[in-house]
Amino acid sequence: MLHRLEFLDLQAFILVAELGSFHEAAQRLHLSQPALSRRIQKLEELLEIELLERTTRRTRLTPIGTDFLPRARRMIEEYESSILGIRELATHQKGTVTIACIPTAAFYFLPSVIRGFSEAWPGIRIRILDVSAKEGLEKVISGEADFGINMFSAQSPEVSFTPLLKDPFVLALRSDHPLVDKPRIEWSDLEQVRLITVSRDSGNRILLDNTLSAEGIRLNSFYEVQHLSTSLGLVESGLGVAILPRMTMPGADHDMLCARELPHPRIQRTIGLVRSNSHNISSTAQLFIDMLLERWGNSNCT
C-alpha cells in the first residue's frame, strides 16, 4: 500500500482539511476541482476509509480524518526533510521543530531558548502550538509535535515527563484593592470577594479545586472564563480577584495588577518537558531540547 501513496494526494488532503473548501484548495494547487476530487478519492480508496464529509456548503473532516491529519502532515514534513539533502540534515542547516506548549509557559520558557537556537541554527524553523494542557499532550502522543512543555497533572503512560520548574499559585488583584495592604492574606479574606476562575476542564482549575476541596475551603467563584489572560483582564477592570499561576502575572512594574502570596495549603503546578515514549525524537528537535534543558534544567523543582 505505502508504495502507492502519493505525495500530491497527501498534500491535497491536508489543504482541503485546512481550508474546508475544495474550491479554494484547487486554486492553491492549480488544479481543477474534478482533478482535486479524484486525488482525494484515490487516497480514500487506498486507505479504505472516508477522510472528508462533503456537503453543498462546506467540507469537514470525519473523525478518522481528524486522526489522520497530523500523520499526513508528519509524512509531508518527513518527505520535505528528506529532499533537503543528507548534508543539510546532517549539519542541521534545514529542518523544523514543532513544540506543543501551554500558552503561559510559551511566554516564560521559549523566547530566550529560541533566540539562542536561531542564532546557532538559523535555517531551522520553529513551530509553536500554543494549546491547552490536554491538547498539548494529545499532539505529542500523536506525533504532530516533536515534544511539549506541559503541566505534570496532564500526563499519560504514553509520555515521559522531565520537571523544569515549580510554579506557585498567587492571588491576582488590582493595586487599589483593599486586600493589597493586608499584611497576610487568609482564606477567610477571600470568602466574600468575587473570584474569577477558568473553566472546570482546565488543568489549572482542577488543581485549584482539588487542593481547596481537600482542605474544606469554599470560595465565591463568581465569574468563569476560558483563558487565564481573560481572567487577568477582568481583575484589571475591578470585577474581582483571581487565583492563578505566578507565571501568568505581568512584571512587578505593572501599574494596575499585583500578586499576593496565598496561605497554606500551598498550591503549585510543576511545568516540564513532555516526550513521547513511542516516537523517536529527531536530531534537530534534540538540539532544541538540549538547549532548553541547559537553560532551564537547573531550575528549582523541589
Side-chain angles (χ1 to χ4, degrees), residues 94 166 171 207 291 295:
K94 299 289 182 182
K166 294 285 190 183
L171 178 68
L207 178 59
M291 187 171 285
R295 172 67 179 84

Side-chain angles (χ1 to χ4, degrees), residues 178-214:
L179 291 177
V180 168
D181 297 323
K182 198 171 187 298
R184 176 181 170 84
I185 303 294
E186 302 292 347
W187 289 114
S188 57
D189 297 324
L190 305 180
E191 291 176 355
Q192 301 305 316
V193 300
R194 291 184 173 184
L195 185 66
I196 302 162
T197 62
V198 290
S199 61
R200 293 182 182 276
D201 59 352
S202 160
N204 290 307
R205 175 67 182 275
I206 293 170
L207 178 59
L208 175 64
D209 285 352
N210 288 347
T211 305
L212 296 184
S213 176

Side-chain angles (χ1 to χ4, degrees), residues 208-225:
L208 175 64
D209 285 352
N210 288 347
T211 305
L212 296 184
S213 176
E215 297 291 330
I217 299 169
R218 297 180 61 87
L219 300 180
N220 179 23
S221 299
F222 198 83
Y223 300 105
E224 184 175 297
V225 299

Side-chain angles (χ1 to χ4, degrees), residues 56-298:
T56 55
R57 291 189 174 183
R58 58 177 297 187
T59 299
R60 62 184 180 185
L61 290 165
T62 62
I64 197 154
T66 300
D67 289 338
F68 181 66
L69 181 58
R71 299 170 185 264
R73 286 196 182 110
R74 195 165 188 85
M75 292 169 71
I76 292 292
E77 287 180 1
E78 289 175 354
Y79 176 84
E80 290 176 341
S81 294
S82 69
I83 63 174
L84 287 172
I86 299 300
R87 182 177 179 277
E88 286 187 329
L89 290 177
T91 57
H92 305 291
Q93 294 178 29
K94 299 289 182 182
T96 301
V97 176
T98 301
I99 309 164
C101 188
I102 54 176
T104 51
F107 292 125
Y108 191 88
F109 286 98
L110 295 182
S112 62
V113 181
I114 289 175
R115 188 176 298 109
F117 187 84
S118 295
E119 289 173 358
W121 296 283
I124 298 177
R125 297 178 298 165
I126 306 295
R127 181 172 173 240
I128 301 173
L129 309 176
D130 47 339
V131 293
S132 68
K134 180 182 178 182
E135 289 175 291
L137 196 63
E138 291 171 351
K139 290 184 183 299
V140 171
I141 292 171
S142 71
E144 183 177 348
D146 293 302
F147 62 93
I149 299 177
N150 212 319
M151 298 170 54
F152 178 73
S153 59
Q155 296 314 305
S156 159
E158 297 176 80
V159 300
S160 61
F161 183 84
T162 304
L164 295 175
L165 185 75
K166 294 285 190 183
D167 186 21
F169 280 56
V170 297
L171 178 68
L173 63 172
R174 271 176 61 112
S175 56
D176 58 357
H177 194 281
L179 291 177
V180 168
D181 297 323
K182 198 171 187 298
R184 176 181 170 84
I185 303 294
E186 302 292 347
W187 289 114
S188 57
D189 297 324
L190 305 180
E191 291 176 355
Q192 301 305 316
V193 300
R194 291 184 173 184
L195 185 66
I196 302 162
T197 62
V198 290
S199 61
R200 293 182 182 276
D201 59 352
S202 160
N204 290 307
R205 175 67 182 275
I206 293 170
L207 178 59
L208 175 64
D209 285 352
N210 288 347
T211 305
L212 296 184
S213 176
E215 297 291 330
I217 299 169
R218 297 180 61 87
L219 300 180
N220 179 23
S221 299
F222 198 83
Y223 300 105
E224 184 175 297
V225 299
Q226 292 296 312
H227 304 288
L228 292 171
S229 57
T230 307
S231 66
L232 282 175
L234 296 186
V235 171
E236 188 170 353
S237 298
L239 293 175
V241 301
I243 297 174
L244 36 70
R246 184 184 296 278
M247 194 180 290
T248 65
M249 292 296 297
D253 57 347
H254 195 282
D255 293 335
M256 295 298 297
L257 293 174
C258 64
R260 291 295 309 276
E261 185 178 335
L262 290 167
H264 179 82
R266 189 181 187 193
I267 309 169
Q268 62 182 10
R269 61 180 186 172
T270 302
I271 304 297
L273 177 71
V274 178
R275 285 173 278 198
S276 170
N277 291 331
S278 58
H279 299 293
N280 292 326
I281 297 286
S282 70
S283 60
T284 304
Q286 188 61 52
L287 287 173
F288 193 98
I289 289 173
D290 291 343
M291 187 171 285
L292 179 73
L293 292 176
E294 183 180 353
R295 172 67 179 84
W296 293 105
N298 294 324

Side-chain angles (χ1 to χ4, degrees), residues 1-7 9-10 43 46-47 68 75:
M1 178 190 293
L2 289 178
H3 71 277
R4 295 167 53 202
L5 195 62
E6 293 189 19
F7 171 85
D9 296 344
L10 288 172
L43 180 62
L46 178 65
L47 299 175
F68 181 66
M75 292 169 71

